[in-house]
Amino acid sequence: MGNASDKLKNDDIEVYEDLTFFSKSEIEACYAKFKKLVKEDTMIQQQQQQQIEEGMQQLPVPRTTVSHEYLLNHVPEFRVNPFKHRLLQVFTHSGGDFMEFEDYLNMMSVLSPSASALAKARWAFKVYDTQNK
């Protein structure tokens, strides 16, 4: 799922429809937006180049991720959100500084108007629970 191709597979879309509050067209729109963010995120390229030069790179950062730094600086909704850092931390399942498509889709789904009040409440608790209990 969430591979580097230009289009999602129908099987993946069906799974995403089951796991999110989005329709097929909304999932495809999220994927297109995410692919654009990845392409624009030059920070990944810069970091990889620096690691290669320093001889530290073990495995390349997948090109299917976008850095938190890029999201914070280039997505207007994050620039004005007082919980921006915590939102990215909570929705990035790897715990790192790079968000994968599935993380992005999950975040966008929960923050969408179509998400249930219960889902919003559960994720809001996670955002406010800075001790991760």
Side-chain angles (χ1 to χ4, degrees), residues 65-80:
T65 61
V66 64
S67 67
H68 287 187
E69 192 66 32
Y70 185 82
L71 291 169
L72 292 170
N73 291 318
H74 294 91
V75 176
E77 293 84 358
F78 280 114
R79 283 187 278 189
V80 298

Side-chain angles (χ1 to χ4, degrees), residues 84-106:
K84 57 191 168 198
H85 295 284
R86 186 68 183 146
L87 279 169
L88 292 173
Q89 183 181 26
V90 166
F91 280 98
T92 302
H93 80 278
S94 68
D97 294 329
F98 293 89
M99 184 170 269
E100 296 177 11
F101 174 67
E102 287 82 4
D103 300 329
Y104 178 80
L105 184 65
N106 189 29

Side-chain angles (χ1 to χ4, degrees), residues 44-60:
I44 293 173
Q45 295 170 352
Q46 291 171 349
Q47 181 183 23
Q48 284 182 328
Q49 185 61 38
Q50 182 180 0
Q51 289 177 344
I52 289 169
E53 290 171 4
E54 295 173 0
M56 294 174 24
Q57 184 165 348
Q58 301 293 321
L59 296 171

Side-chain angles (χ1 to χ4, degrees), residues 4-50:
S5 69
D6 289 336
K7 285 185 83 173
L8 289 170
K9 296 176 185 172
N10 283 333
D11 291 345
D12 290 344
I13 291 173
E14 289 176 11
V15 171
Y16 294 147
E17 283 180 300
D18 290 341
L19 296 175
T20 69
F21 298 97
F22 283 147
S23 67
K24 178 181 179 178
S25 63
E26 290 169 320
I27 292 166
E28 289 171 335
C30 279
Y31 189 70
K33 173 69 173 176
F34 185 78
K35 293 297 291 180
K36 183 177 183 229
L37 291 169
V38 169
K39 185 176 180 182
E40 294 171 350
D41 185 3
T42 57
M43 184 175 175
I44 293 173
Q45 295 170 352
Q46 291 171 349
Q47 181 183 23
Q48 284 182 328
Q49 185 61 38
Q50 182 180 0

